[in-house]
Amino acid sequence: MSRAAAVCWIGVALALVAYCALNLRVGTDLTRFIPDGEQSELARISGQLAQSPFTRTMVLSISADALPVAIDAAGRLAAALRESPDVEWVRSGVDEDQLRDVYDLYFPRRFYFLSDDPEREIPVRLSEEGLREQARALKAQLASPASSLLTRIAPADPISSFRTIVERFRQRERTLELHAGQWVTPDGRHAILLLSTRASAFESGPQARLLETIDAHFARIAAELGGGLELESNGANRFAVAAEQSIKADVYRIAAASLLGVAALFVVFLGGWRGFLVVSVPPLAGILVATSAGLALLGGLDGLTMAFGASLMGIAIDYSNHVLIHQRLARGPVTPQETVRRLRPSLTLGAATTVASFGGLAITAFPAFREMSFFAAVGVVTGLVVSLVLLPRLLGFAPELPARSSRVAAWLGGVLRALERAPRPLLWLPLMMLPLAAVPLASLEWSDDMSKLTRFPGELMDEARRVRERFAAVDSSQFAIGTAPDAQSAVELNDRIHALLRQSVADGALEGYSSLHRLLWSEQLQRRNRAVIDADPDLYARVDAAFAAEGFRPGAFAPFAEALSEPPPPPLTLADLRASPLSDFLAPFVIPVGDRLAVVTYLNGLRDRSRVEQRLHGLDGVHVLDQRTFVNQIYTEFRANTLEQMVVGAGLVLLLLVLRYRAWRPVAAAFLPSVAVAVLLLAGFALAGVKPNLLHAMSLIMVMGMGVDYGVFLVDSAPDAEAADATMLSLLMSCLTTVFVFGTLAISSQPSLRSIGVTTGLGIALSYVLAPIMLAAVGVVRLPSRDA
Amino acid sequence: MKSAAACADSGRADRGRGRAVAWLAAGLLALAPGAPGAEPEPPTLAELMRGMASSQGVTTRFHETKRIALLAAPLESRGVMYFAPPDRLARFTFEPARSSLVIDGDRLVFREDDGERYDLSTNPMARAFVDNFIVLFNGDLERLEALYRTELTGEREGWTLRLEPRAATLRAVIEDVTLRGDTGGIREMTIRNVDGDATDTQLETTAQRAFSAAELERLFDEQRPLPDALHATGAP
């Protein structure tokens, strides 16, 4: 290659690398895995709920030999963590500042929040008997040593409307007690802190840093207090960091095994690393161009697409491998360009069938499928083009193959010829097993529970369960969600949701719920409350009389009369809350979704989902969402469509093969190995009791693509003994490379990586075994001997 | 609460007996011929606190009167108080309604008859109310002077100790605390609030005794139902 051409190629490559580096943002958007327009809004909300403040909340539980020590430790830890840049806030109990904020915001509006059913309940509350009962209750409270606060508020609020608001706020904290202002579990053994992180729970860098910070502070505090302290915690971030650490540990282990295996392979068969570098150019070019095109034309790429696309490069490397080995094993002076010209039809058909196998994905309603199809097509075609155009010019850098390579190639060719002489029924045995495989296949069960794809340490799960039980944390995976076009209608919708869920709690379908209703009612409901108060012009006089009858001084509640006669403040709005110091409390309950607002109610102890759904059925735009079930349903549908597209893709591949070969024997020889691998693998899973998942299905697509390539390369090289030998060696190289690169994932501790490894490793090995057997079975051509 | 002389009468504390003898001796000396016109010396605060210190435990009935501006008449309540050194105090009210206020170290919990429970550990008024008794029953002069400016007037037979809070948080709520007592100990405590309300607690029958472990468990167990009546508490 001339220097100018080399500089040109390198320049283009560097430009693409720079473009990708500057623009690449890989993420996973759930909405890409559901059909366009269908439940997309719910999927968007679901995705945002995964980032909601509840998922960023950690619960820290501190225990010691004596509770005062635990409380002391909790106070010190809270103070230390408040200084951390990774921490949004820390709560250890009732905050005096928050009480003041609640007072400032709600006391002037205390008459707006008396009752959810003001026309019915307020008259009862303000009846003669109701007022006298409140007077007696107030008098009893005044007898307590803590009456100083009451004596300040009661003159302006004898009907305890502000106390009603505070009680509504305190409902959340009923599961914990307060000791000297510090939350403590009811058994009095653990001090509890709540902490919110700034970063998403799934950003492993900041979260790992924060977990280290917590541990370091706690160790210091424990030493200061003389030891005997224990810290346990629960939070989504702990699981995210644990998963990443586990996967990283796996990756290092697997990468080492992979690297050693691939290195050994290339040293043994290709004479060194230079050969590996040369054959890596086309697949790397494919990834680079596909990524650049994806960013430029699609605006971004999903993480799963990138992972899937990278695995497809295992196919692209076969092309360059095939060229290199054929070139090096060719007898006589054959230029790389001549080798490529000879192999062009095979390589082109191989690439075309790979692209065709993804063709079905391109026309589905799933954005993720379309993206994968695009990435695969661009990547594979680029790999092919680079193999045909650039690779011949690079082959000079690759060393000559060692002598053993020729010997192995010859031996493998001998095996192929021996197979051709074997009895046909024996050769057809694998295919005859396919109908038998239908039996276990019928009992094959798929696993669509995404939570099973990641394994967490048992101690972490136990610790999380213990802390959850202590704190009775809000279940952040089950919700009632309603969307509305603006803030006012969103809060009104929330009022209606609250009213119906209250009935669900009453009839036992639901244990409880946490709702925006604790903080805010619709302006309409607030005004209704005030209207009932204002419609009673004698209210003050009746209060005065009723309270006087219970021993209060006549005229003691003059401030109440003033409050009633003053123009009322405007009702509390969402904007008011957002602008107040209490805005943190608002965040979990109101989520913007596009140009709409979603109000989220967190459901606890959902016992009868269908009954709750029935109650909410009449409300437009309201859904009951179980996050785990919803996500699993999405992936179930996606997995099912993957399998359907696999069949569609296989049909397109078959069509291409028919168009190319126009005879049944070569078509069968090329096509049957991939079909047999898929059926036998799935039947094997069924027999072994393995429940395959989405990752098994997607790995199967890759394996089937490679299986077709093996068939095509063998069919095309069968008439020439030397070519057949070279092909058998190149396929062996391809098979072993795939086993080392992907198959080693089977040793991972993570189920997700194991799925890919087992499917790929077993599948590609089966493909290599079945391809020559099928070639011999269908008798494509009588293979000439090497001496012919 | 019994003074040292009272302790000597009951024959319980050597320290109390010795002190009573000393007071008696001082009294006799004062009356002895040869000391015509000798005036009884007023007690010092240190002596007062020493006398009030109880190393065992205290049980006392109380009658409390709250004068609250909102109410036409004072609010009266009756109950019994228990002090177990060094920092546990349980106050049970039976009239007009049952309630309890239990202090155990830093924890201060108020319980109503309907089961409602309030942590008042950080409430300055409630804290002041109970701290006064605990500090006095412990005879902790240092702590008393840390919390209040003190002014002691009168004589041993009838003294008045006026306390003015030092801390701003307490001064914002409490004007002053006035204790009245005699040789028998504290008889009355009056807390005047800044807003004009006042709480007057009369300590009636008082006994000094140690509590058994079972009694302590019964008295300071927040989970146990409130006692039904005075007699159920083992009050004198």
Coordinates of all heavy atoms in Angstrom, one line a residue, chain A residues 135-179:
Chain A
A135 N -62.9 20.5 72.5 CA -62.5 21.3 73.6 C -62.0 20.4 74.7 O -60.9 20.7 75.4 CB -63.7 22.1 74.1
R136 N -62.6 19.3 75.0 CA -62.1 18.3 76.0 C -60.8 17.8 75.7 O -59.9 17.7 76.5 CB -63.1 17.2 76.2 CG -64.4 17.6 76.9 CD -65.2 16.3 77.3 NE -65.8 15.7 76.1 CZ -67.0 16.0 75.6 NH1 -67.7 16.9 76.1 NH2 -67.4 15.3 74.5
A137 N -60.6 17.5 74.4 CA -59.2 17.0 74.0 C -58.2 18.0 74.1 O -57.1 17.7 74.6 CB -59.3 16.5 72.5
L138 N -58.5 19.3 73.8 CA -57.5 20.3 73.9 C -57.2 20.6 75.4 O -56.0 20.7 75.8 CB -58.1 21.6 73.3 CG -57.1 22.9 73.4 CD1 -55.8 22.6 72.7 CD2 -57.8 24.1 72.8
K139 N -58.2 20.5 76.2 CA -58.0 20.7 77.6 C -57.0 19.6 78.2 O -56.1 19.9 79.0 CB -59.3 20.7 78.4 CG -59.2 21.3 79.8 CD -60.7 21.5 80.3 CE -60.6 21.9 81.7 NZ -62.0 21.9 82.3
A140 N -57.3 18.4 77.8 CA -56.4 17.3 78.2 C -55.0 17.5 77.7 O -54.0 17.2 78.5 CB -57.0 16.0 77.7
Q141 N -54.8 18.0 76.5 CA -53.5 18.2 76.0 C -52.8 19.3 76.7 O -51.6 19.3 76.9 CB -53.6 18.5 74.5 CG -53.8 17.3 73.6 CD -54.5 17.7 72.3 OE1 -54.4 18.8 71.9 NE2 -55.2 16.7 71.7
L142 N -53.6 20.3 77.1 CA -53.0 21.4 77.9 C -52.4 21.0 79.2 O -51.6 21.7 79.8 CB -54.0 22.5 78.1 CG -54.4 23.3 76.8 CD1 -55.5 24.3 77.1 CD2 -53.1 24.1 76.3
A143 N -52.9 19.9 79.7 CA -52.4 19.4 81.0 C -51.0 18.8 80.9 O -50.3 18.6 81.9 CB -53.4 18.4 81.6
S144 N -50.6 18.5 79.7 CA -49.3 17.9 79.5 C -48.2 18.9 79.7 O -48.4 20.1 79.4 CB -49.2 17.2 78.2 OG -48.6 18.1 77.2
P145 N -47.0 18.4 80.0 CA -45.8 19.3 80.2 C -45.4 20.0 78.8 O -44.7 20.9 78.8 CB -44.7 18.4 80.7 CG -45.4 17.2 81.2 CD -46.6 17.1 80.4
A146 N -45.9 19.5 77.7 CA -45.5 20.0 76.4 C -46.6 21.0 75.9 O -46.7 21.2 74.7 CB -45.3 18.9 75.4
S147 N -47.4 21.6 76.8 CA -48.5 22.4 76.3 C -48.1 23.8 75.8 O -48.9 24.5 75.3 CB -49.5 22.5 77.4 OG -48.9 23.2 78.6
S148 N -46.8 24.1 76.0 CA -46.4 25.5 75.6 C -46.6 25.8 74.1 O -47.0 26.9 73.8 CB -44.9 25.7 75.9 OG -44.1 24.7 75.3
L149 N -46.4 24.8 73.2 CA -46.6 25.0 71.8 C -48.1 25.1 71.6 O -48.6 26.0 70.8 CB -46.1 23.8 71.0 CG -46.3 23.9 69.5 CD1 -45.5 25.1 68.9 CD2 -45.8 22.6 68.8
L150 N -48.9 24.3 72.2 CA -50.4 24.3 72.1 C -50.9 25.7 72.5 O -51.8 26.2 71.8 CB -51.0 23.3 72.9 CG -51.2 21.9 72.3 CD1 -51.8 21.0 73.4 CD2 -52.1 22.0 71.1
T151 N -50.4 26.3 73.5 CA -51.0 27.5 74.0 C -50.7 28.6 73.0 O -51.4 29.7 73.0 CB -50.5 27.9 75.4 OG1 -49.0 28.0 75.3 CG2 -50.9 26.9 76.5
R152 N -49.7 28.5 72.2 CA -49.4 29.5 71.2 C -50.3 29.3 70.0 O -50.7 30.3 69.3 CB -48.0 29.4 70.7 CG -47.0 30.0 71.7 CD -45.7 30.0 71.2 NE -44.8 29.3 72.0 CZ -43.5 29.0 71.7 NH1 -43.0 29.4 70.6 NH2 -42.7 28.3 72.6
I153 N -50.6 28.1 69.6 CA -51.4 27.8 68.4 C -52.9 27.8 68.6 O -53.7 28.3 67.8 CB -50.9 26.5 67.7 CG1 -49.5 26.6 67.2 CG2 -51.9 26.0 66.7 CD1 -49.0 25.3 66.6
A154 N -53.3 27.2 69.7 CA -54.7 27.0 70.0 C -55.6 28.2 69.9 O -56.7 28.1 69.4 CB -54.9 26.3 71.3
P155 N -55.2 29.4 70.4 CA -56.1 30.5 70.3 C -56.6 30.8 68.8 O -57.7 31.3 68.6 CB -55.3 31.7 70.8 CG -54.3 31.1 71.8 CD -54.0 29.7 71.1
A156 N -55.7 30.6 67.9 CA -56.1 30.8 66.5 C -56.6 29.6 65.8 O -57.0 29.6 64.6 CB -54.9 31.4 65.7
D157 N -56.5 28.4 66.5 CA -56.8 27.2 65.9 C -57.4 26.2 66.9 O -56.9 25.1 67.1 CB -55.6 26.5 65.2 CG -56.0 25.3 64.4 OD1 -57.1 25.2 64.0 OD2 -55.1 24.5 64.1
P158 N -58.5 26.6 67.5 CA -59.1 25.7 68.5 C -59.6 24.4 67.9 O -59.8 23.4 68.6 CB -60.3 26.5 69.1 CG -60.6 27.5 68.0 CD -59.4 27.8 67.3
I159 N -59.9 24.4 66.6 CA -60.5 23.1 66.0 C -59.4 22.2 65.5 O -59.6 21.3 64.8 CB -61.5 23.5 64.9 CG1 -60.8 24.3 63.7 CG2 -62.7 24.2 65.4 CD1 -61.7 24.5 62.5
S160 N -58.1 22.5 65.9 CA -57.0 21.6 65.7 C -56.8 21.2 64.2 O -56.4 20.1 63.8 CB -57.1 20.3 66.4 OG -57.2 20.5 67.8
S161 N -57.0 22.2 63.3 CA -56.8 21.9 61.9 C -55.4 21.7 61.5 O -55.0 20.9 60.7 CB -57.5 23.0 61.0 OG -57.2 24.3 61.6
F162 N -54.5 22.5 62.2 CA -53.1 22.4 61.9 C -52.6 21.0 62.5 O -51.7 20.4 61.8 CB -52.3 23.5 62.5 CG -50.8 23.5 62.2 CD1 -50.4 23.6 60.9 CD2 -49.8 23.3 63.2 CE1 -49.0 23.5 60.5 CE2 -48.5 23.2 62.8 CZ -48.1 23.3 61.5
R163 N -53.1 20.6 63.6 CA -52.7 19.3 64.1 C -53.1 18.2 63.1 O -52.3 17.2 63.0 CB -53.3 19.1 65.5 CG -52.9 17.8 66.1 CD -53.5 17.6 67.5 NE -53.3 16.2 67.8 CZ -53.2 15.7 69.1 NH1 -53.3 16.6 70.1 NH2 -53.1 14.4 69.3
T164 N -54.2 18.3 62.5 CA -54.6 17.4 61.5 C -53.6 17.3 60.4 O -53.3 16.2 59.9 CB -56.0 17.7 60.9 OG1 -56.9 17.9 62.0 CG2 -56.5 16.7 59.9
I165 N -53.1 18.4 59.9 CA -52.1 18.4 58.9 C -50.8 17.8 59.3 O -50.2 16.9 58.6 CB -51.8 19.9 58.5 CG1 -53.0 20.6 57.8 CG2 -50.6 20.0 57.5 CD1 -52.9 22.0 57.6
V166 N -50.4 18.1 60.6 CA -49.1 17.5 61.1 C -49.3 16.0 61.2 O -48.4 15.2 60.9 CB -48.8 18.1 62.4 CG1 -47.6 17.4 63.1 CG2 -48.4 19.6 62.2
E167 N -50.5 15.5 61.7 CA -50.7 14.1 61.8 C -50.6 13.4 60.5 O -50.1 12.3 60.4 CB -52.1 13.8 62.4 CG -52.2 14.1 63.9 CD -51.3 13.2 64.7 OE1 -51.3 12.0 64.5 OE2 -50.5 13.8 65.5
R168 N -51.1 14.1 59.4 CA -51.0 13.5 58.1 C -49.6 13.3 57.7 O -49.2 12.3 57.1 CB -51.8 14.4 57.1 CG -52.3 13.7 55.9 CD -53.2 14.6 55.1 NE -54.5 14.9 55.6 CZ -55.0 16.1 55.9 NH1 -54.3 17.2 55.6 NH2 -56.2 16.2 56.4
F169 N -48.7 14.3 58.0 CA -47.3 14.2 57.7 C -46.7 13.1 58.5 O -45.8 12.4 58.0 CB -46.6 15.5 58.1 CG -46.5 16.5 57.0 CD1 -47.7 17.2 56.6 CD2 -45.4 16.9 56.4 CE1 -47.7 18.1 55.6 CE2 -45.3 17.8 55.4 CZ -46.5 18.4 55.0
R170 N -47.1 12.9 59.7 CA -46.4 12.0 60.6 C -46.8 10.5 60.3 O -46.1 9.6 60.8 CB -46.8 12.3 62.1 CG -46.1 13.5 62.7 CD -46.4 13.5 64.2 NE -45.8 12.4 64.9 CZ -46.4 11.8 65.9 NH1 -47.5 12.3 66.4 NH2 -45.8 10.8 66.5
Q171 N -47.8 10.3 59.5 CA -48.3 9.0 59.2 C -47.1 8.1 58.7 O -47.0 7.0 58.9 CB -49.4 9.0 58.2 CG -50.7 9.1 58.8 CD -51.8 9.4 57.8 OE1 -51.6 9.4 56.6 NE2 -53.0 9.8 58.3
R172 N -46.2 8.8 57.9 CA -45.1 8.1 57.3 C -44.2 7.5 58.3 O -43.5 6.5 58.1 CB -44.4 9.1 56.4 CG -43.2 8.5 55.7 CD -43.6 7.4 54.7 NE -42.4 6.7 54.3 CZ -41.9 5.6 54.9 NH1 -42.5 5.1 56.0 NH2 -40.9 5.0 54.4
E173 N -44.1 8.3 59.5 CA -43.1 7.9 60.4 C -43.6 7.0 61.6 O -42.9 6.8 62.6 CB -42.4 9.1 61.1 CG -41.5 9.8 60.1 CD -41.8 11.3 59.9 OE1 -42.3 11.9 60.8 OE2 -41.6 11.8 58.8
R174 N -44.8 6.4 61.4 CA -45.3 5.6 62.4 C -44.5 4.4 62.7 O -44.6 3.8 63.7 CB -46.8 5.2 62.0 CG -47.8 6.3 62.1 CD -48.2 6.6 63.5 NE -49.3 7.6 63.5 CZ -49.4 8.6 64.3 NH1 -48.5 8.7 65.3 NH2 -50.4 9.5 64.2
T175 N -43.8 3.9 61.7 CA -43.0 2.7 61.9 C -41.8 2.9 62.7 O -41.1 2.0 63.1 CB -42.6 2.1 60.5 OG1 -41.9 3.1 59.8 CG2 -43.8 1.7 59.7
L176 N -41.4 4.1 63.0 CA -40.2 4.4 63.8 C -40.6 5.3 65.0 O -41.6 5.9 65.0 CB -39.2 5.2 62.9 CG -38.6 4.5 61.7 CD1 -37.7 5.4 61.0 CD2 -37.8 3.3 62.2
E177 N -39.8 5.2 66.0 CA -40.0 6.0 67.2 C -38.9 7.1 67.2 O -37.9 7.0 66.5 CB -40.0 5.2 68.4 CG -41.1 4.2 68.4 CD -41.2 3.4 69.7 OE1 -40.3 3.6 70.6 OE2 -42.1 2.6 69.9
L178 N -39.1 8.1 68.0 CA -38.1 9.1 68.2 C -37.5 9.0 69.6 O -38.3 9.0 70.6 CB -38.8 10.5 68.0 CG -39.0 11.0 66.6 CD1 -39.8 12.3 66.6 CD2 -37.7 11.2 65.9
H179 N -36.2 9.0 69.6 CA -35.5 9.1 70.9 C -34.6 10.3 70.8 O -33.7 10.3 70.0 CB -34.7 7.8 71.1 CG -35.4 6.7 71.6 ND1 -35.2 6.0 72.8 CD2 -36.5 6.0 71.0 CE1 -36.0 5.0 72.9 NE2 -36.8 5.0 71.8

